[in-house]
Amino acid sequence: MELTVSIHRDELVERCKKGEAAGYKELYQRYAKAMFNTCHRILNSFDEAEDVLQESFTEAFKNLHAFEYRTSFGGWLKQICIHRSINQLKKRKFRWEDIETINVYNIAEETFIDENEIAFKVEQVKKSILSLPDGYRTVLSLYLLEGYDHQEISEILNVAESTTRTQYMRAKQKLLQLLKEGI
């Protein structure tokens, strides 16, 4: 049995590939807000997110001729935004912690927070996520909000999969702590 994949060509992308200036503006307007949110969730900085967004669109438009519909244009653009956001974070020189270098069992025993007891408002959660350290916020955003698994995140960040799991576990604990404290 042979599976057939239907490749849907986006008319707007095709117009841009032909050099239609109005198409570029439309394409930008279609994706800018979602891509900005992706960049901002990773970077936690409006200014940096705006810069990365512009750089991402510039890269996408410059390489549009190479876009081959292996994924949707939005998915392709999101990958560019995420990689550029991660590169921007790397410039900050934050430190990843690998699970092999820490005792995970002691971390779990240090603080027990009953997640079912705590009811939070969406704004409190957003504010708390934004206050997480860069590494925590990045992995948490990629895992929970962007839907990547730990293997994909490890490839994106160029770190061990165990590192992304550690960062995620710690991010979750820190987020719950912040929420419990009402920060």
Side-chain angles (χ1 to χ4, degrees), residues 8-31 61 64 69 73:
H8 171 65
R9 296 208 179 268
D10 187 324
E11 179 188 329
L12 188 52
V13 171
E14 291 303 312
R15 286 175 32 209
C16 292
K17 282 184 170 185
K18 292 176 184 172
E20 187 180 310
Y24 286 103
K25 182 178 179 183
E26 271 185 68
L27 203 58
Y28 180 86
Q29 290 172 337
R30 180 187 290 177
Y31 291 102
F61 289 159
L64 197 56
Y69 294 99
F73 176 79

Side-chain angles (χ1 to χ4, degrees), residues 91-103:
K91 291 178 185 175
R92 294 184 190 169
K93 304 215 188 263
F94 62 92
R95 188 174 64 104
W96 292 103
E97 295 186 29
D98 194 353
I99 197 165
E100 274 80 25
T101 63
I102 60 167
N103 187 345

Side-chain angles (χ1 to χ4, degrees), residues 1-174:
M1 181 172 149
E2 186 177 321
L3 293 177
T4 324
V5 177
S6 171
I7 298 176
H8 171 65
R9 296 208 179 268
D10 187 324
E11 179 188 329
L12 188 52
V13 171
E14 291 303 312
R15 286 175 32 209
C16 292
K17 282 184 170 185
K18 292 176 184 172
E20 187 180 310
Y24 286 103
K25 182 178 179 183
E26 271 185 68
L27 203 58
Y28 180 86
Q29 290 172 337
R30 180 187 290 177
Y31 291 102
K33 184 176 180 181
M35 296 305 133
F36 173 82
N37 289 336
T38 296
C39 296
H40 186 259
R41 279 193 296 269
I42 293 170
L43 294 166
N44 193 24
S45 163
F46 283 104
D47 293 336
E48 284 181 309
E50 286 175 347
D51 289 346
V52 168
L53 176 70
Q54 297 309 315
E55 293 167 3
S56 298
F57 269 100
T58 300
E59 180 180 337
F61 289 159
K62 182 176 150 189
N63 296 305
L64 197 56
H65 65 281
F67 177 64
E68 297 176 345
Y69 294 99
R70 291 183 185 149
T71 183
S72 68
F73 176 79
W76 184 66
L77 180 60
K78 184 183 249 186
Q79 282 289 84
I80 294 170
C81 289
I82 289 171
H83 284 288
R84 285 197 165 267
S85 295
I86 299 302
N87 288 340
Q88 182 64 31
L89 275 181
K90 286 179 182 176
K91 291 178 185 175
R92 294 184 190 169
K93 304 215 188 263
F94 62 92
R95 188 174 64 104
W96 292 103
E97 295 186 29
D98 194 353
I99 197 165
E100 274 80 25
T101 63
I102 60 167
N103 187 345
V104 177
Y105 301 105
N106 288 340
I107 293 172
E109 294 171 6
E110 287 176 11
T111 335
F112 175 75
I113 300 172
D114 185 354
E115 296 176 47
N116 295 327
E117 286 183 354
I118 306 170
F120 301 106
K121 295 179 182 173
V122 171
E123 288 306 312
Q124 288 173 311
V125 173
K126 285 181 181 178
K127 182 179 176 185
S128 296
I129 288 173
L130 291 176
S131 69
L132 290 172
D134 291 342
Y136 291 179
R137 188 183 61 257
T138 300
V139 172
L140 187 81
S141 294
L142 290 173
Y143 187 79
L144 290 179
L145 304 175
E146 303 299 336
Y148 290 97
D149 63 29
H150 288 290
Q151 181 182 352
E152 293 169 320
I153 296 169
S154 71
E155 291 169 6
I156 290 169
L157 299 176
N158 199 26
V159 296
E161 189 174 331
S162 59
T163 301
T164 69
R165 291 182 187 282
T166 301
Q167 293 291 102
Y168 175 70
M169 181 180 67
R170 287 185 170 194
K172 209 166 73 167
Q173 286 179 336
K174 181 70 174 173

